[in-house]
Amino acid sequence: MTPQLTDKYMVTIAERLTSAYARIADAAKIAQRNTNEVTLLAVSKTKPSEDVIAAYEHGQREFGESYVQEAIDKIAQLQSYSDIIWHFIGPIQSNKSALVAANFDWVQSVDRIKIAKRLDSQRPDDKQPLNILIQVNISNEEAKSGCHRDEIDELADFINQCEHLTLRGLMAIPAKSNDLDTQIQSFEQLQTCFDKLKTQYPQVDTLSMGMSNDVEAAISAGSTMVRIGTDIFGTRT
Ligand SMILES: *Cc1c(COP(=O)(O)O)cnc(C)c1O
């Protein structure tokens, strides 16, 4: 028989969240940056609403989701938590864009004009403009998502002209590497793109990079938002 873990030995979501914040603070300190410059996005994909509530009760307000239908159900269940900020971070299929436009506050995975155009026309008039990050494919040849660096300008220009969208910055998921220098090199490429974009668009303020595996490298290269799932909610099945 498998012994049951008692509460005493269980690491709670609250404790993991505290550790995640401490890790961000340590990384910021090493990078000689202010911790307040880095937002933690808690990635709750595949995890139940109860887990989101546990994090919420510990002060977490920004949550990331990758699968449209699962996210819509969760957002509906958590409607009374009206100050949660929902970020869509997964690939967007055209036939799901209306649901994304209507239910999220941010979309971090816009990588083509066609999707930007749909989100703009489908964003309900009674809502604030949708905050948009352009997903860039850095150092990840296999990945199907993310535009090439050379395409950022054209996409940014398009998004900037959309009435229902606000361009806020860039997002990337580099190829997985356990080598710190390799991680930093990828993130610095994105940082260069971000610095340029900021000079063109004053409202651009968000560089979303860094996950459970590479928070330190991302923060050293100027990340303003790290997206952490596993370290907060545990492994996904
Ligand atoms: C799942 C996911 C994350 C979280 O990854 P972890 O390794 O669990 O921290 C971050 N960003 C994106 C885009 C994801 O899909």
Side-chain angles (χ1 to χ4, degrees):
M1 206 176 91
T2 318
Q4 293 290 311
L5 284 177
T6 63
D7 280 352
K8 191 172 162 205
Y9 297 107
M10 232 158 355
V11 182
T12 64
I13 287 171
E15 284 166 341
R16 290 170 184 233
L17 204 49
T18 300
S19 304
Y21 276 107
R23 188 176 171 198
I24 291 168
D26 286 347
K29 194 171 175 191
I30 290 167
Q32 298 184 302
R33 298 182 56 205
N34 191 328
T35 310
N36 303 338
E37 295 170 21
V38 186
T39 300
L40 170 59
L41 182 70
V43 178
S44 47
K45 66 184 181 203
T46 80
K47 300 295 177 180
S49 306
E50 291 72 33
D51 289 8
V52 173
I53 293 171
Y56 181 94
E57 285 175 347
H58 201 62
Q60 181 65 31
R61 292 294 179 271
E62 313 226 12
F63 292 89
E65 290 283 338
S66 301
Y67 309 109
V68 178
Q69 197 51 57
E70 180 205 330
I72 302 302
D73 294 345
K74 232 178 274 182
I75 292 170
Q77 284 162 17
L78 296 168
Q79 222 167 22
S80 60
Y81 297 82
S82 57
D83 58 346
I84 290 183
I85 299 167
W86 293 103
H87 295 244
F88 189 73
I89 60 175
I92 310 174
Q93 292 160 298
S94 294
N95 63 351
K96 298 279 171 63
S97 64
L99 285 170
V100 173
N103 288 282
F104 284 84
D105 304 295
W106 290 66
V107 180
Q108 301 202 3
S109 45
V110 174
D111 61 2
R112 52 198 194 277
I113 286 177
K114 183 185 167 195
I115 291 294
K117 196 181 246 173
R118 290 180 71 92
L119 292 172
D120 182 46
S121 67
Q122 293 166 334
R123 179 68 168 172
D125 280 324
D126 61 341
K127 297 209 166 177
Q128 298 284 350
L130 195 52
N131 295 294
I132 301 290
L133 300 183
I134 294 173
Q135 183 176 351
V136 186
N137 187 345
I138 298 272
S139 77
N140 198 350
E141 303 308 325
E142 304 113 77
K144 291 184 194 75
S145 326
C147 71
H148 190 268
R149 262 173 296 168
D150 299 345
E151 299 168 322
I152 296 174
D153 278 349
E154 195 190 355
L155 190 49
D157 180 55
F158 182 85
I159 293 165
N160 192 49
Q161 292 178 44
C162 292
E163 195 186 335
H164 300 281
L165 307 181
T166 303
L167 178 65
R168 297 294 295 271
L170 302 176
M171 184 273 257
I173 312 170
K176 206 174 157 112
S177 161
N178 289 322
D179 176 57
L180 186 68
D181 290 334
T182 309
Q183 291 174 356
I184 291 175
Q185 269 173 28
S186 311
F187 288 139
E188 282 179 349
Q189 291 179 42
L190 197 69
Q191 183 179 34
T192 304
C193 302
F194 179 65
D195 288 343
K196 180 173 168 234
L197 198 66
K198 270 201 299 195
T199 65
Q200 297 167 303
Y201 304 99
Q203 79 281 14
V204 163
D205 58 3
T206 305
L207 180 55
S208 171
M209 56 186 196
M211 321 207 300
S212 293
N213 188 44
D214 50 21
V215 164
E216 287 74 19
I219 290 177
S220 85
S223 171
T224 72
M225 184 177 288
V226 293
R227 309 179 306 267
I228 300 183
T230 309
D231 279 2
I232 295 170
F233 298 109
T235 51
R236 292 177 293 271
T237 46

